[in-house]
Amino acid sequence: MTDISPPLTILARAKVNLYLHVAAPDAKNYHPLQSLVMFADVGDEVALRPKSVPQAPGLTCDGPFADGVPTDGTNLIVKAVRRFEMVTGVNIDRHDIHLTKNLPVASGLGGGSADAGAVLQLLRAHYAPDMTDEALEAIATTTGADGAMCLWSQSTLAEGYGERLTKLALPAVPAVLINPGIACSTPEVYGQYDRLGQFAQIEASTPFRSIINIDHLLHALSETRNDLEAPAVHLHPQIGDLLSRLSDEPETRMARLSGSGATCFALCDTLKDAHSLAARLSAQYPQTWVRACTLS
Ligand code: ATP
């Protein structure tokens, strides 16, 4: 007989902002933005571990970046589980949760939101299979601004304050992700953006709804920016050095910062190019987190 039980482990995929346009803060100090987001085939692993005695779930964490992750109520996984229990009235008592933290923390890759999205997918599958996508998304939204998009991990155009989401069909793009080991606090980078005072405009429409291949995507991206790059470089000049270095590499078609950083990415024509660039960078910076991946 075929085993059709739902999976117990999910990849919480890294989010990459291919561009991020940020306008001046409004009266409530929120920044209107527009961002094209894709997801890498690398990420954290979130697992449900069955247990025999019914009791409240514990969270354990290991992996290369486990040290930077809280395992108390501030962890976005714990927040998501509590919210799920509250909304459904179901007790999550048949499993503990285990996080393998492969992504650098506070790195612009949205790891915490991806973890929350992954655990919600697992909880729905095991505890509330009839829950609608809308209801699950409403829970994900309460875990943070990127909660909903990281729940689905699909190419998305985010607008408004990041809450207006349009899923897009885009070609898969080979890329290299590199994190220079600096934790970048998102509020600090936005604070620096405000202090620099060079506020950008957000165009109403973008050409990203009808992209057919990588050349087309790169052409459209050449008209875009990450408006948090300047403030992040101001706070951490090493990011600027890394971006110049990446731009000079023969395999790089475009190099940019993801989100508020400090992870930078290079887009490449082929996965082979991405792997050879990643191998060279890893050899030169052995302590640095470098991954070749595909964004989709
Ligand atoms: P974003 O791009 O959405 O700003 P990020 O990659 O910069 O995300 P995260 O790695 O998600 O940032 O972590 C931001 C903060 O959230 C960390 O400082 C950490 O203390 C807290 N946090 C809570 N839960 C998690 C989690 N599961 N994984 C990582 N960090 C978490």
Side-chain angles (χ1 to χ4, degrees), residues 196-254:
L196 290 176
Q198 286 155 4
F199 298 122
Q201 299 292 326
I202 292 181
E203 295 76 28
S205 64
T206 75
F208 291 91
R209 291 167 208 270
S210 52
I211 298 286
I212 49 169
N213 58 34
I214 294 181
D215 279 338
H216 194 182
L217 177 64
L218 285 160
H219 180 73
L221 285 172
S222 67
E223 308 283 317
T224 65
R225 321 166 296 277
N226 180 348
D227 290 326
L228 296 184
E229 218 168 82
V233 169
H234 215 265
L235 290 171
H236 305 287
Q238 306 96 302
I239 295 174
D241 299 340
L242 180 58
L243 283 168
S244 312
R245 166 73 213 273
L246 274 184
S247 301
D248 288 344
E249 294 297 330
E251 295 91 347
T252 300
R253 295 287 309 270
M254 190 191 96

Side-chain angles (χ1 to χ4, degrees), residues 15 69-70 74-76 99 101 105-112 115 146 186:
K15 163 216 80 162
V69 180
T74 62
N75 192 297
L76 294 183
L99 169 64
K101 194 73 198 170
V105 175
S107 65
L109 295 175
D115 297 344
D146 292 341
T186 303

Side-chain angles (χ1 to χ4, degrees), residues 10-15 39-40 42-46 99 103 109-111 113-119 150 153:
I10 285 194
L11 182 70
R13 297 169 67 189
K15 163 216 80 162
F39 289 86
V42 298
D44 296 335
E45 262 180 37
V46 179
L99 169 64
L103 297 175
L109 295 175
S113 303
D115 297 344
V119 84
C150 289
S153 306

Side-chain angles (χ1 to χ4, degrees), residues 121-133:
Q121 293 283 8
L122 289 169
L123 295 183
R124 173 167 74 169
H126 288 269
Y127 288 86
D130 294 334
M131 181 184 255
T132 63
D133 286 354

